[in-house]
Amino acid sequence: MLGLGKRGKFIMKKEILNNQTEDKSKEIKVNDNYWVDLLERIKSIRMAEKETYKSLRKLFATSVDYDSTSEECNEFFRLVQNKLHYAAHGHTAAEIINERIDADKKNMGLTNFNGDSISISDLSVAKNYLEVDEIDILNHIVSGIFEFAKINAIEHKLMYMIDYEKQLDNIIIANGRPLLDETGKITRDEVNQKIEMEYKKYQSK
């Protein structure tokens, strides 16, 4: 989860990027092969990846300003994850884990986990707590982002990370889903503490 300080800095950086996007687009020159390759990458990512967040991260990596070593990119991806969750069920990733994890519930409240036994890593993934209809909503929104990327590649429009976030907001609003406009009420550190506490209770049974 982003702190308010980081969130404020990130918003300012986004505004700067937004103001510079048009000028940068004029500076970057690409050949026709770039667009052919980009379309193929978008198609292959969508077909090959069943895991929503992995496919999104690969899609965002096609942005001309994406840098996997940058903290801004990691903050951006966490924000996108939280916007997707909030649109699907009205909670951020940390909030949904905090609300649904329970050592006394069947499978500790999980609706999905790897293997035959529950692990800490399973409990740390917010999507593992979602019901089928919530996952469907999330996946439909993600599909809209891929369609947006494909259309822009066909039209030879360079994409920046901020373009994807703007379109995500547009898709969420157009579908009448709630749009996250804050960092959430539960921090990742707080939910990690609860995960450890509930997991210990579960193991002691």
Side-chain angles (χ1 to χ4, degrees):
M1 296 292 294
L2 300 176
L4 288 175
K6 286 185 177 180
R7 172 67 171 154
K9 291 178 182 177
F10 187 50
I11 289 172
M12 286 194 295
K13 288 176 182 176
K14 285 199 304 177
E15 289 175 349
I16 293 170
L17 281 172
N18 190 34
N19 292 334
Q20 294 177 344
T21 294
E22 186 176 347
D23 291 336
K24 284 184 177 180
S25 297
K26 293 176 182 177
E27 294 171 6
I28 297 174
K29 297 182 183 299
V30 294
N31 57 35
D32 290 340
N33 288 335
Y34 171 86
W35 302 110
V36 174
D37 292 342
L38 180 58
L39 270 171
E40 287 304 314
R41 283 181 69 188
I42 292 170
K43 289 177 184 176
S44 64
I45 291 168
R46 192 170 190 179
M47 290 176 63
E49 292 288 351
K50 293 182 180 179
E51 296 184 42
T52 304
Y53 298 133
K54 283 186 179 180
S55 63
L56 268 183
R57 188 176 281 276
K58 286 187 176 182
L59 178 63
F60 295 152
T62 66
S63 305
V64 293
D65 59 341
Y66 184 85
D67 177 4
S68 61
T69 64
S70 165
E71 180 57 28
E72 284 79 9
C73 284
N74 291 327
E75 289 179 10
F76 166 79
F77 190 67
R78 285 192 290 269
L79 178 62
V80 167
Q81 283 182 304
N82 280 323
K83 284 194 172 190
L84 285 168
H85 274 287
Y86 198 81
H89 48 71
H91 302 281
T92 64
E95 288 170 353
I96 200 66
I97 295 174
N98 184 70
E99 180 178 284
R100 297 187 181 179
I101 189 171
D102 189 335
D104 295 323
K105 287 182 180 179
K106 180 180 178 182
N107 297 327
M108 295 189 67
L110 295 175
T111 58
N112 178 65
F113 57 91
N114 294 317
D116 298 323
S117 59
I118 295 170
S119 68
I120 284 284
S121 59
D122 292 318
L123 294 168
S124 300
V125 178
K127 193 177 177 185
N128 286 343
Y129 297 85
L130 302 189
E131 301 295 338
V132 173
D133 58 343
E134 293 169 335
I135 292 174
D136 281 345
I137 292 170
L138 192 149
N139 287 340
H140 280 304
I141 294 171
V142 170
S143 292
I145 298 173
F146 271 91
E147 289 301 320
F148 171 72
K150 187 167 68 174
I151 289 171
N152 279 278
I154 290 170
E155 295 182 341
H156 293 190
K157 292 180 180 178
L158 293 173
M159 295 297 297
Y160 292 81
M161 290 189 298
I162 193 170
D163 296 321
Y164 283 117
E165 188 188 349
K166 282 182 177 179
Q167 185 60 17
L168 173 59
D169 289 354
N170 290 338
I171 293 169
I172 290 170
I173 293 169
N175 282 279
R177 305 304 303 173
L179 180 64
L180 180 68
D181 59 0
E182 57 183 8
T183 57
K185 300 177 179 66
I186 302 294
T187 68
R188 192 71 213 189
D189 287 340
E190 288 171 337
V191 83
N192 284 342
Q193 290 176 10
K194 185 165 184 180
I195 288 170
E196 290 181 11
M197 180 183 70
E198 292 296 325
Y199 190 57
K200 286 178 181 177
K201 285 169 60 179
Y202 176 77
Q203 288 183 311
S204 67
K205 291 185 176 183

